[in-house]
Amino acid sequence: MQERQKQDSRDKVLAAAREVLEEMPYALVAVEDIIARAGVSRATFYRHFASKFAVGKALHDEFWPRLFAIYRGLSDIGRPTEAAFARWVGTLLDFYRSEKTLVVAFQQMMVIEPDFEPTLNVVSLEVIRTLAASSPMLGCLMEESRRGRRARVDARLLLEQLDDFCYAAVAHDWMDDIEDG
């Protein structure tokens, strides 16, 4: 029962952080805002999290496996047609839209929190590994040759562009129609 209460208070803090992030940018959020919204004491907050950044990382830890599942879906396409790839991008955009608050917060964390960059590097490498394992054509992504290193750089740049596109489309709401994207 004690373990359940501990998990409940942790979940309250994370839910409160999400709510606060809907109302203000990550940079302006204070631990006090999260505590007040969660209705927990400062001691309870710090029992679970060392800082606001730790809360952000915990939210990202819940977020990225769901994002990764969408990328895994890309590898399931096999030899994608333009239409199949467009449908996959639509799925990715739908996910970004459904998680707009967190997507925006993570972009802000990337700028403000230097310790967040290694986390994003791990996610990118995991996506690249998955893509490499999904298709013989992409197997070169994991080669330790010059070709493999170059392929990983190219893949990382493409992933960054795709993420930037999805972020801009969702955060700035500049697409009237997903088909345009």
Side-chain angles (χ1 to χ4, degrees):
M1 181 153 155
Q2 215 173 26
E3 195 59 39
R4 183 70 203 144
Q5 287 175 331
K6 186 177 177 181
Q7 184 63 43
D8 286 347
S9 62
R10 184 182 190 282
D11 292 345
K12 269 187 189 178
V13 170
L14 290 174
R18 275 178 163 263
E19 290 174 15
V20 170
L21 286 168
E22 287 181 28
E23 297 168 9
M24 66 179 82
Y26 176 82
L28 298 180
V29 172
V31 169
E32 289 75 22
D33 299 317
I34 299 169
I35 290 169
R37 183 64 57 92
V40 299
S41 69
R42 180 176 287 282
T44 298
F45 177 90
Y46 284 110
R47 190 173 307 125
H48 298 287
F49 302 101
S51 63
K52 171 180 81 170
F53 175 60
V55 172
K57 248 189 85 18
L59 290 170
H60 188 266
D61 290 346
E62 293 176 353
F63 171 89
W64 95 262
R66 293 180 291 128
L67 175 63
F68 189 70
I70 293 169
Y71 274 100
R72 215 175 297 113
L74 179 61
S75 65
D76 294 340
I77 294 174
R79 196 177 180 108
T81 63
E82 187 175 323
F85 187 71
R87 281 191 301 279
W88 178 83
V89 170
T91 301
L92 184 62
L93 280 168
D94 287 343
F95 177 72
Y96 270 64
R97 274 198 181 114
S98 72
E99 294 294 344
K100 179 179 178 175
T101 298
L102 292 180
V103 168
V104 170
F106 299 149
Q107 285 286 332
Q108 294 167 359
M109 284 171 60
M110 198 166 44
V111 173
I112 296 168
E113 306 283 4
D115 291 339
F116 193 47
E117 183 66 26
T119 298
L120 300 178
N121 288 334
V122 167
V123 171
S124 291
L125 185 57
E126 214 37 55
V127 169
I128 290 169
R129 280 189 184 125
T130 298
L131 294 174
S134 72
S135 167
M137 292 186 310
L138 298 175
C140 67
L141 287 168
M142 297 319 296
E143 290 176 7
E144 287 306 320
S145 63
R146 181 182 175 140
R147 175 180 171 225
R149 288 189 302 275
R150 172 71 191 263
R152 282 191 297 281
V153 168
D154 289 346
R156 178 70 187 260
L157 289 171
L158 286 169
L159 289 172
E160 296 267 341
Q161 287 178 323
L162 184 58
D163 181 63
D164 287 349
F165 164 77
C166 290
Y167 170 78
V170 169
H172 304 297
D173 200 28
W174 55 260
M175 274 193 329
D176 294 327
D177 185 0
I178 283 195
E179 294 301 314
D180 294 342

